[in-house]
Amino acid sequence: GAVVSQHPSRVICKSGTSVKIECRSLDFQATTMFWYRQFPKQSLMLMATSNEGSKATYEQGVEKDKFLINHASLTLSTLTVTSAHPEDSSFYICSARAQGAGGPGTGELFFGEGSRLTVL
Amino acid sequence: KQEVTQIPAALSVPEGENLVLNCSFTDSAIYNLQWFRQDPGKGLTSLLLIQSSQREQTSGRLNASLDKSSGRSTLYIAASQPGDSATYLCAVSGGSYIPTFGRGTSLIVHP
């Protein structure tokens, strides 16, 4: 199947610093990528939908100035957690949708391996 | 707004049993439904994708069915093994192209 690479897998940072997480689709072009946050033993919480070449669409309650998303190419989206605080510690996962026969929204979703962020 | 429910929330079975995991959704206007597994501390691995025009998909010991009219999908796992222990999630994609996830079924298969 298609591969989505997410980097770094783990990051520990001091409070107040910024952290960038990359999500790459390695063997397909992804016009749309999704960023999720997952708390322990909880399901995925959608943070934003990232569309190549345009601004991301954030879910209600997600601070767009706190979680900067850039989707500069068809294979790369980045999430930057700005001025991180301990409450931002979480597991962040990206996904990319391969284009399906029925149109851009009908293809299979592929996920990265996730990034564990710990803010001290 | 689409809502996805997965039953049961947790399941613990002995090795060798055939399992049924259920996923129901409220809006039948979907493009596809996808089943994933997630191991602790990992991302999601795609298991099966069912397009709205399809009734079922099979891969090895896994079989997923889709009944759009009743808003249900079922994942069958035949002859379960300890390696099948994981959380299983279903995701439904509709007109917004944004997938809606259920809360998952946590499966433990003990030897």
Side-chain angles (χ1 to χ4, degrees):
Chain A
V3 177
V4 173
S5 173
Q6 190 172 338
H7 178 81
S9 58
R10 289 181 181 274
V11 57
I12 300 172
C13 69
K14 293 182 179 179
S15 185
T17 60
S18 295
V19 174
K20 179 185 284 188
I21 301 170
E22 293 188 348
C23 180
R24 293 180 184 274
S25 56
L26 297 185
D27 51 1
F28 66 99
Q29 293 183 331
T31 54
T32 303
M33 291 185 175
F34 303 97
W35 286 96
Y36 296 87
R37 184 172 179 176
Q38 188 175 36
F39 295 99
K41 299 190 184 297
Q42 300 283 323
S43 190
L44 301 170
M45 183 190 82
L46 179 66
M47 298 175 66
T49 302
S50 167
N51 295 298
E52 185 267 336
S54 63
K55 291 183 179 180
T57 301
Y58 290 81
E59 295 299 300
Q60 191 172 7
V62 178
E63 300 175 57
K64 61 181 181 181
D65 295 329
K66 172 79 170 173
F67 300 99
L68 299 179
I69 292 172
N70 183 281
H71 194 155
S73 76
L74 286 171
T75 59
L76 174 64
S77 177
T78 60
L79 167 68
T80 301
V81 183
T82 62
S83 187
H85 291 284
E87 58 265 30
D88 298 324
S89 299
S90 191
F91 190 57
Y92 294 88
I93 314 176
C94 72
S95 72
R97 191 189 289 281
Q99 183 157 340
T106 61
E108 191 167 359
L109 282 168
F110 296 96
F111 279 78
E113 279 294 299
S115 299
R116 172 75 57 193
L117 170 64
T118 302
V119 185
L120 303 176
Chain B
K1 179 184 175 184
Q2 180 74 271
E3 292 183 5
V4 179
T5 303
Q6 289 189 246
I7 295 173
L11 192 58
S12 180
V13 299
E15 182 176 7
E17 281 203 5
N18 298 324
L19 307 175
V20 176
L21 308 183
N22 297 291
C23 173
S24 62
F25 46 95
T26 55
D27 185 350
S28 61
I30 67 171
Y31 285 114
N32 63 42
L33 184 146
Q34 197 166 350
W35 282 93
F36 298 88
R37 72 173 277 168
Q38 185 178 27
D39 294 286
K42 300 289 187 180
L44 277 66
T45 300
S46 177
L47 297 174
L48 291 165
L49 170 70
I50 311 176
Q51 300 292 357
S52 62
S53 59
Q54 297 173 326
R55 297 281 296 187
E56 67 176 346
Q57 285 287 330
T58 299
S59 176
R61 293 182 295 108
L62 304 179
N63 174 276
S65 65
L66 174 64
D67 183 343
K68 267 201 333 177
S69 60
S70 66
R72 295 179 187 274
S73 176
T74 301
L75 178 67
Y76 296 89
I77 303 176
S80 58
Q81 303 170 358
D84 294 330
S85 299
T87 296
Y88 290 81
L89 295 139
C90 75
V92 176
S93 294
S96 69
Y97 297 153
I98 298 174
T100 301
F101 281 84
R103 295 178 64 86
T105 294
S106 177
L107 172 65
I108 296 175
V109 181
H110 47 87

